[in-house]
Amino acid sequence: MSIGHTLLALLESGPRHGYDLKRAFDARFGHDRPLHYGQVYATMSRLLKNGLVEVDGVEQGDGPERKRYAITDAGVTDVARWLAEPEKPEPYLQSVLYTKVVVALLTGRDAADLLDAQRTEHLRLMRELTRRKTGGDLADQLICDHALFHLEADLRWLEMTAARLDQLATAVR
């Protein structure tokens, strides 16, 4: 995810402080991985340096001064360009799971046990995501569906690999 582009897009509705940007980001996108304040302020500093945001005001408070950021025309253009670019599909050709299966076979360990353990972990996570999806709003449902579809593809790969484990063992030795 491009955090910078996402923060810029959040500014399109109006100027905000870094704290407000973090809260808005976390509410929409950070359920599983909330932003750190330092990450927000470092990103805003970079966007400011690149001319994509400007300081719309500074407020004095009990603590450090609070800058309110506004998106510039260049920032709006940058967000539009980012949204228009299709994301490169990730083919997962360097899968850690594949590497573990091959290493298990190369070292004489039981790759079938590894695949079974991974299948169990995938199913556990799928149950957890299904519960979250059932009780969630539309955004939760969509993000959970995305994750579930990827996990289903992984499960298909686990089954196919288990069925061809003898062939793979012969090929890698």
Side-chain angles (χ1 to χ4, degrees):
M1 173 186 299
S2 173
I3 293 168
H5 286 111
T6 306
L7 293 176
L8 280 173
L10 290 171
L11 285 172
E12 285 196 33
S13 65
R16 296 181 188 214
H17 296 95
Y19 176 79
D20 297 328
L21 285 168
K22 179 199 174 347
R23 280 197 353 226
F25 182 97
D26 289 350
R28 296 221 181 255
F29 311 107
H31 293 286
D32 297 320
R33 199 180 281 172
L35 287 180
H36 297 285
Y37 285 105
Q39 191 174 12
V40 172
Y41 292 110
T43 301
M44 296 312 295
S45 178
R46 183 177 43 79
L47 295 172
L48 184 63
K49 179 181 161 195
N50 292 337
L52 302 176
V53 298
E54 60 191 10
V55 175
D56 185 58
V58 178
E59 297 173 8
Q60 297 293 340
D62 293 337
E65 60 184 30
R66 293 177 32 147
K67 293 178 185 173
R68 188 174 57 246
Y69 298 96
I71 191 168
T72 63
D73 290 341
V76 172
T77 300
D78 199 54
V79 171
R81 187 176 322 123
W82 175 63
L83 290 173
E85 283 180 21
E87 287 297 308
K88 181 181 176 188
E90 297 181 27
Y92 300 102
L93 292 178
Q94 292 298 319
S95 167
V96 173
L97 187 52
Y98 170 77
T99 302
K100 283 182 156 187
V101 170
V102 171
V103 167
L105 292 171
L106 287 172
T107 60
R109 291 180 172 89
D110 192 343
D113 284 350
L114 184 151
L115 291 170
D116 287 341
Q118 192 63 51
R119 185 180 308 104
T120 299
E121 183 59 19
H122 270 61
L123 292 170
R124 183 201 62 74
L125 182 55
M126 289 176 83
R127 284 189 298 275
E128 181 180 314
L129 288 168
T130 301
R131 276 192 299 276
R132 177 176 163 184
K133 177 181 162 181
T134 302
D137 60 11
L138 181 58
D140 261 352
Q141 292 170 16
L142 290 172
I143 198 69
C144 288
D145 280 341
H146 186 263
L148 285 164
F149 294 151
H150 282 273
L151 290 168
E152 287 174 7
D154 286 351
L155 281 175
R156 286 195 310 271
W157 182 85
L158 290 167
E159 294 301 325
M160 182 193 72
T161 303
R164 298 163 74 186
L165 209 47
D166 291 338
Q167 290 173 288
L168 182 59
T170 301
V172 299
R173 288 187 183 137

